[in-house]
């Protein structure tokens, strides 16, 4: 069984920065990818950023140039550095992992961008 434990998030003013982290624990074999999705009220969940086991990254167009995803393979942890935050970045952010072909989700952490 794999668990994803998220940390970070909170309230920040527009233009500010926040960092999220997600650590995978349990029986970790063949991490294909880890990443972050978000869901704003009344909207569908969307991919924010993703990083493969080989280090290839993908970003939603809306966050390119502002968010950076990175990963510590030894600790099975993924990080999301969010800069120049905008009110439209407000959402619940969920860690996502594809491990051994099975998809896992974290419990979610709230990010609110407001003055």
């Amino acid at each position: 069984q794999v668990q994803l434990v998220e940390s970070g998030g909170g309230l920040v003013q527009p233009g500010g920065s926040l960092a999220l982290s997600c650590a995978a624990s349990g029986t970790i074999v063949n991490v294909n990818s880890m990443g972050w999705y978000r869901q704003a009220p009344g909207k569908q969940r969307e991919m924010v950023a993703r990083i493969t086991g080989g280090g290839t990254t993908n970003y939603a167009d809306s966050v390119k140039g502002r968010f950076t995803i990175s990963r510590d393979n030894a600790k099975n942890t993924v990080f999301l550095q969010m800069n120049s935050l905008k009110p439209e970045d407000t959402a619940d952010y969920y860690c996502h992992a594809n491990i051994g072909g099975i998809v896992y989700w974290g419990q979610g952490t709230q990010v609110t961008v407001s003055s």
Side-chain angles (χ1 to χ4, degrees):
Q1 186 68 19
V2 173
Q3 286 188 325
L4 302 178
V5 179
E6 299 146 339
S7 60
L11 173 65
V12 65
Q13 292 186 343
S17 299
L18 279 176
L20 305 180
S21 63
C22 171
S25 62
T27 304
I28 309 295
V29 178
N30 192 20
V31 180
N32 295 316
S33 67
M34 294 185 74
W36 295 90
Y37 283 67
R38 68 185 181 187
Q39 187 167 19
K43 294 189 177 181
Q44 289 188 330
R45 190 172 295 190
E46 62 175 356
M47 192 275 289
V48 177
R50 190 176 73 104
I51 185 167
T52 68
T56 301
T57 58
N58 299 99
Y59 295 93
D61 288 342
S62 59
V63 307
K64 283 181 181 177
R66 300 188 297 122
F67 291 11
T68 302
I69 190 169
S70 60
R71 182 172 155 185
D72 183 334
N73 289 335
K75 296 182 178 179
N76 293 312
T77 300
V78 64
F79 307 94
L80 185 68
Q81 178 64 43
M82 305 183 290
N83 298 327
S84 302
L85 283 161
K86 304 176 181 179
E88 50 263 44
D89 295 317
T90 295
D92 291 324
Y93 283 69
Y94 296 88
C95 182
H96 169 279
N98 182 318
I99 300 172
I102 300 173
V103 173
Y104 299 91
W105 292 95
Q107 78 281 3
T109 185
Q110 190 172 53
V111 172
T112 303
V113 185
S114 175
S115 56

